Amino acid sequence: MAQTIQLKRGTKAQLDAHGPLVSGEMGFCTDTKEVFIGDGSANTLIGRAMSGTEAARPTASVLGRLYYVTSGTNAGYMYFDSGTAWQAVNARKLTELSGSLDDIIDGSSYGKVLKTDLSSGHVNKISDGSNTLTAAELRGHLNDASLHRQINDSGLAVTDLWSAQKIRNEIELAKRNIEPQASVKNRTTTAPPSTPADGDRYVIPGSATGVWSGKTNQIAEWQSSTWTYYPPAVGWTCYVDDEQKIYSWNGSAWVRTGGALQTVGAGNGLTGGGQADSVTLNVGAGNGIAVAADAISVVAGSGITVGSSGVAVNIDAAAIIYDAANGNRLTVGTVDGGTF
């Protein structure tokens, strides 16, 4: 009968609990199918790749051995013993690979760039899937000012673009309804202030000097570091701070709102009127009417009396009778010839 030799065996947990096998003793883990050999102090997995520096690698002579270089020259390489030579199993550098980028397929997220679309390592074309342009064509398009909006604060064309400063001002105009309603400090300053505050506004008078010269009646506003000018349009109004008056532009001059919109005229029995800040109307005194500082009264005359009850005819209830029953009429009563 043939001899059967069995190794010490059990589960991996049982081996761990057993501890180190004696030197040269082998053990088989029935659950993990691993084989270990002991040295009296530790158990070593049989079949583990040898490792160390490349200089310490043994001469190739045993088919199937593996050796891993842990440090120094060619660290990170794994070698296979063919029986006559050590063959590198893995590659660590692109130069050790064969083929080219042409052998790599496009991925789901990234893809290759055609070599013809590269110039000195830079992409020279761009495509949206339907249209493809070269970098030179793109640059020509971007540099063509006629195809793009341009900074021009006074322009209104579709190719004009307002600066941020202009846009901010226009927004403020819209927020505060500034063009027809906002205030100016005054309309008498002739020389532009040397240290204006941002947002200061003035109506430029006819005798203005410096950069205001030639801009009569325009509204000047200080914006950041420069004066911006607004030629008025008919209907614009502004509050003048130092006068506490509102002025309107009538097409040729700034006039106070009262003067621009109304004239107070005297009607029948009145005198005075006009367009001044203070307009006075006087009641004209006429026949039988007396005008005092704060009262108007009827002047009593022959046969007429004026009292708290009103204006009345002076009757004696004999020669002249007040007939309330017949329409409040005055009738002749007794006609008396009198005496000689």
Side-chain angles (χ1 to χ4, degrees), residues 256-334:
R256 278 192 298 270
T257 300
L261 302 178
Q262 60 183 332
T263 297
V264 178
N268 294 338
L270 301 174
T271 62
Q275 295 179 322
D277 289 340
S278 298
V279 177
T280 300
L281 296 177
N282 297 309
V283 178
N287 295 333
I289 301 297
V291 179
D294 56 2
I296 300 174
S297 61
V298 178
V299 178
S302 300
I304 300 297
T305 62
V306 177
S308 59
S309 299
V311 179
V313 178
N314 187 14
I315 58 177
D316 58 6
I320 298 176
I321 299 172
Y322 172 63
D323 190 352
N326 292 291
N328 297 314
R329 293 180 298 177
L330 297 176
T331 60
V332 176
T334 300

Side-chain angles (χ1 to χ4, degrees), residues 46-172:
I46 296 176
R48 185 178 64 179
M50 296 181 289
S51 62
T53 64
E54 188 172 68
R57 184 181 63 188
T59 302
S61 60
V62 181
L63 177 64
R65 289 190 300 178
L66 296 173
Y67 189 91
Y68 178 73
V69 180
T70 57
S71 61
T73 304
N74 291 331
Y77 282 88
M78 175 73 78
Y79 291 92
F80 174 78
D81 188 347
S82 67
T84 58
W86 288 103
Q87 303 292 337
V89 175
N90 63 317
R92 295 290 305 276
K93 304 176 183 177
L94 290 175
T95 54
E96 298 171 352
L97 299 175
S98 61
S100 67
L101 291 177
D102 293 335
D103 300 321
I104 301 175
I105 64 173
D106 287 339
S108 59
S109 300
Y110 300 94
K112 296 177 291 186
V113 177
L114 292 174
K115 187 174 182 179
T116 55
D117 291 345
L118 296 174
S119 296
S120 301
H122 299 282
V123 177
N124 58 37
K125 290 182 182 178
I126 187 170
S127 174
D128 61 2
S130 300
N131 304 287
T132 301
L133 294 175
T134 66
E137 290 171 329
L138 290 171
R139 180 177 180 181
H141 178 82
L142 293 173
N143 289 343
D144 189 344
S146 64
L147 300 177
H148 308 284
R149 296 181 181 273
Q150 304 173 69
I151 299 297
N152 182 4
D153 283 347
S154 61
L156 298 175
V158 295
T159 56
D160 290 325
L161 183 67
W162 286 355
S163 65
Q165 176 177 301
K166 174 69 172 179
I167 293 173
R168 185 188 73 170
N169 183 64
E170 292 301 317
I171 291 174
E172 289 303 314

